[in-house]
Structure formats: structure tokens, C-alpha cells
Amino acid sequence: MLGGAAPFRLALALASLSHLEAAVVNIEANITQNTLWVSTNTYHVNVPIQVQNGAILTIQPGTVIKGRNEGEFPFTKAGAIYITPGSKIMAEGTKDSPITFTTQEEVTASSRIYRQWGGLFIMGKAPVKGGTFRHSRVPDVSFGG
């Protein structure tokens, strides 16, 4: 009967793998070459970073990105992602696997406020003429050109 125990142990080991948490990857440097962020990791953006030199940051559906809040306004040390002119971000989530940008802070319904992380900034040279949001709720949004 010892031979029958091995498949049981294998099934138990595989079942325990389904409960693994995503690995945390700390992001603290600029992105200067094409980079892929995968959904099996959670990315902690701890400082302001730039995607630069024409690099492309690709983010898989289901990926979680958490920015760090650092102090008071103007939040110059808060975790933020800046996409510089000539560089790109490719982030296409799905209904079932959205890409989530959020804070590293523990958030409850009563503690949810804006300015909990630095944000995502797409920089360019085009003038801003406004925009239209349909089927979206985007409170406290500001933009500039």
C-alpha cells in the first residue's frame, strides 16, 4: 500500500500550491528597457519611477500594482509611474482579469480617500483638449498638457 500513498501526497502538494500568494516585487528604479509585469506578482512602486528611453512597460491582465504614499503634499516621494515621451505602457485588462492600480495602504470603505499613492502619469507634447468618459466613474481627476 505504500505505492498508493505517493499519488495522495502529490495531490496534496498540488492543492497547497493553489493557495500561494503572489510574489511581491519592489520597484525602485527607472525602467529603461522593455519590461513585462506578470499577473503572478504584485508590484510595489515605492518611489517615483519613469519608463524612459523608448521602453515599453507591458502589464498582463490580472496584475496588481500598489503605489506607496510617502508623506504630505506635494507627494514628491510617493510611488508613482511616469511614462515619458517616446515610451509606452501597454496595459489591457479584461472584465474577468482587470489590471489594478491601488495603494499599499490598508483600505476600508471608511478610509478610502484620494492621494493614497502618487499615480500614473502619461507625459507627452500633445495639447489636452478634454475628454469623454462613458460608463466610468473617475472622481477627483485632474489633467494638464
Side-chain angles (χ1 to χ4, degrees):
M1 277 313 222
L2 289 177
F8 174 75
R9 276 186 255 149
L10 178 60
L12 185 60
L14 291 175
S16 66
L17 288 177
S18 66
H19 293 74
L20 291 178
E21 290 188 27
V24 172
V25 177
N26 290 300
I27 305 296
E28 297 179 345
N30 291 333
I31 295 171
T32 59
Q33 59 188 0
N34 294 348
T35 301
L36 174 65
W37 287 0
V38 297
S39 61
T40 53
N41 294 334
T42 297
Y43 295 86
H44 282 196
V45 181
N46 296 318
V47 296
I49 64 155
Q50 294 183 3
V51 179
Q52 56 189 23
N53 298 339
I56 300 171
L57 171 59
T58 303
I59 304 174
Q60 287 183 337
T63 303
V64 176
I65 298 95
K66 293 184 175 187
R68 181 170 148 194
N69 179 2
E70 186 65 41
E72 298 297 321
F73 184 80
F75 305 107
T76 55
K77 295 180 183 178
I81 302 170
Y82 294 85
I83 311 300
T84 62
S87 298
K88 296 180 183 179
I89 182 170
M90 303 298 290
E92 295 185 38
T94 66
K95 180 180 176 183
D96 295 326
S97 293
I99 296 169
T100 303
F101 292 85
T102 189
T103 177
Q104 290 180 23
E105 303 295 320
E106 188 67 33
V107 178
T108 64
S110 63
S111 72
R112 185 173 255 335
I113 58 170
Y114 65 97
R115 295 185 180 152
Q116 289 182 313
W117 71 289
L120 172 65
F121 301 87
I122 301 175
M123 303 160 59
K125 296 179 182 178
V128 175
K129 293 189 167 212
T132 302
F133 292 93
R134 293 191 179 131
H135 310 291
S136 301
R137 182 172 179 271
V138 187
D140 302 316
V141 171
S142 62
F143 57 90

